[in-house]
Amino acid sequence: MRLKLFPPLSLALLLVFSTHSSFSQVKPAATQRTIPIVVGAGISAYNPDWNSGHLLGGTLWVDYMPTFLPRRFQGLGLEAEGRDLSLNRSSSQPSNLREDVASGGVIYSWSRYYRFRPYGKFLLGYGNTDYTTSDGTRYHESRTVTTAGGGIEVQAFHRIWARADYEYQWWPDFFKGTNPAGKLNPQGITLGVSYHFNQPFYR
């Protein structure tokens, strides 16, 4: 009698364990998470608002796009950015002209349209500039810098996106010899690539 019950019992146990294994394989998908970080680098071409001509340099940025925000705030994130402009000075500019800015603030990305995603941003940071006056005196000036800008990202391949970015900056009370003190308003574009760490991984 026991021998006759063994095959059906074995079949039933096999069915139970195979079902359990199937659920076990699916379970990690429920615990998958994303890393909402974007890092990028690019080449910048700016009008430094200093005589005529442009300055070239490099830019780095890091974006944090939280996924826990309510639906109405999705697309809102934080950006940290650093830029150093000191290359390709024109003859009309000081020979040591340099502008560098480190800033951070908010960025908002609109919904993705096919492979395109437009964005806008507002940043506040700290800027330094080096220059030489006509009498040969060298200066190093620092100011709080406000930046407004925006651009578009295009998905190039999987996690890699190309970015075209425009910024306009306000350096207040820069030329204190004028009345009122004159502002410095550099503006320019940055072309670069970013890497999106927003792919799922498993615990």
Side-chain angles (χ1 to χ4, degrees), residues 149-167:
I152 191 168
E153 285 191 317
V154 182
Q155 188 176 24
F157 179 74
H158 194 39
R159 302 184 185 184
I160 300 175
W161 293 63
R163 173 182 281 199
D165 182 272
Y166 168 79
E167 288 187 1

Side-chain angles (χ1 to χ4, degrees), residues 61-63 77-81 103-107 121 123 163 167:
W61 64 87
V62 178
D63 296 342
L78 301 174
E79 177 166 288
E81 180 184 80
S103 56
V106 295
I107 182 171
K121 60 184 180 179
L123 310 175
R163 173 182 281 199
E167 288 187 1

